[in-house]
Amino acid sequence: MAAWLLSRALSGKSGGLLPWSQVCCRERCRTAPSVLPALQDKPRAASDLPRVSVWEMLYRMLVQGYYNRLHELQLYEKQLYGPIYWSGLKSVSVNTAELLEELLRKDEKFPSRGDMSLWTEYRDMRGFGYGPFTEEGERWYKLRAVLNKRMLHPRDSAQYDGVINVVVTDFIERIKHLRRCSPTGNLVPDMSNELYLFSLEGIASILFETRLGCLEKEIPAGTQEFINSIAQMFSNSMAVVITPKWSRSLLPFWGRYIAGWEGIFSFAKTLIDKKMEDIQQRVDNDQDVEGEYLTYLLSNTQMSNKDVYASVTELLLAGVDTTSNTLTWTLYQLSRNPEIQDRLYEEVSSLVPADRVPSAAEVTAMPFLRAVIKETLRMYPVVPMNARIITEKPISVGGYQFPKKTGFTFCHYAISHDENTFPEPYRFKPERWLRDGRQRPNAFGSIPFGYGVRGCVGRRIAELEMYLVLFQLIRHFEVKPDPTTGELKSINRTVLVPDKQLDLHFVDR
Ligand code: HEM
């Protein structure tokens, strides 16, 4: 997901880049504004704000090597320039919860994150439609109205607990198998990879209504090719953004990038076409058409096939790395905080009898389980920055007046590490989210799924997947760190990922 962030960062339209630099900041530190006092009635001109030039951004990213720590740059820039500043020519970085709230409450009817040409070009070439990520304006609005049904409301997503629980059960079996293969009998190497396979299998079983075999001992060849295609598309995206169009026939990146998309779409299309044939057969035989999400899209809506291909593919791409990396960070933190893990175990083992798997209603009613995921997403917002372009009219934010078409970059990572909102921001403290009489943090301090009508459509599914798998993992195993792993740092690969492999011990309860 988040291709738009990649292209914005590199085109200088975004706020989030790098360093901890030695670049002289003395002057800027003196001039960094705070937000204007509410008493000042006349908004100031946007040109009064400090500005990070495109060259500074490039220097920090390429020379100082912060290209993969864009989230850390948000913290540094806040010190340097204050809570709101220009990044490049067209984008303004917003770096406090209060300003973020002010801006998002003024968001438009058809919110836009900006240029998505990195993804739309392939769809245009092949005549596919656009999905929820790439579509804009009224067409996007209508598309979301269709996609939201059966997905966004907790009541709708709850119906997938059976499908997800089957995948979770297979995942637990896989963990047991991997443990047996290790010299100590309980070590599972490379949890990020395992959780990626789990997340792909989980979301595909909802979207395609079929199993891909990611959790089998031998992953089927077609599924492996699909996984490789996704990796190929993402790994060539950066090169495609930074190299000029004229070089596409000379350099290998564009060809590989397109080949990645071809593999992704052809796999998705095959599965969707097959489902369509099944539905047609049932209709021809006067049988009821029953099914999950894909059946709903194919049989109950006005969507054309090419729109279904695009939407299902985009939902799938958005739903794998996000969920799997959040789970990776959760297990990492739980392994290092045994007292928090014990408290979670107490909750999961006391609320559901040991001989059955939990339902959606049961896991969503577990306050500590929910708090653990919420705290993980605060510390490691898997989408560490986001964006909006306000296209229709001028807008004032923080006492400054911006012309229409101004882009805004949201510094989610820095905002969710602001110690004014979250005391001890670098400590994993799920209890800060409990509704037990304590004061709740500012809601805009951590909005990992975005906000408003353009917010994450898969949020409820993602939460359900994460609750169900975490429940089973913690009920079955005590998760312990492997001493060779040490401390993990987060790096930015459009989503926040660990800088090295995470191996964990799974000891039977
Ligand atoms: C931990 C898991 C996830 C996180 C943290 C996450 C986060 C986000 C964020 C921050 C956005 C941008 C929202 C905005 O601009 O206001 C987004 C958009 C989106 N997400 Fe998720 N997401 C997750 C899982 C999923 C899953 C499982 C799916 C698919 C079922 C999904 C599908 C999408 C789609 C399609 C969009 C674009 C929506 C639009 O533009 O209308 N996400 N997500």
Side-chain angles (χ1 to χ4, degrees), residues 19 68 74 88-89 154 181 197 206 217 221 235-236 239 249 259 261 310 314 328 332 423 433 491 507:
N68 64 0
Q74 298 172 4
L89 297 177
C181 302
L197 294 175
I206 292 170
K217 285 177 196 146
S235 63
N236 285 282
S249 56
W261 276 121
E314 287 183 15
T328 303
Y332 168 66
W433 297 104
I491 54 171
V507 181

Side-chain angles (χ1 to χ4, degrees), residues 1 4 104 113 132-135 140 144 147 151 203 207 311 314-316 318-320 322-324 326 377 381-383 386-388 410 412 447-459 461-463 465-466:
M1 75 166 295
W4 88 97
L104 282 172
R113 282 183 292 266
F133 244 97
T134 43
E135 194 55 276
W140 164 81
R144 275 295 296 254
L147 299 179
M151 191 166 269
I203 197 67
L207 293 174
S311 281
E314 287 183 15
L315 285 164
L316 185 99
V320 182
T322 42
T323 314
S324 67
T326 305
L377 281 165
V382 71
V383 181
N386 196 0
R388 286 286 187 274
F410 308 154
H412 288 307
I447 47 167
F449 293 97
Y451 179 80
V453 284
R454 191 112 213 192
C456 177
V457 62
R459 172 183 188 158
I461 301 250
E463 286 174 337
E465 271 186 88
M466 295 190 290

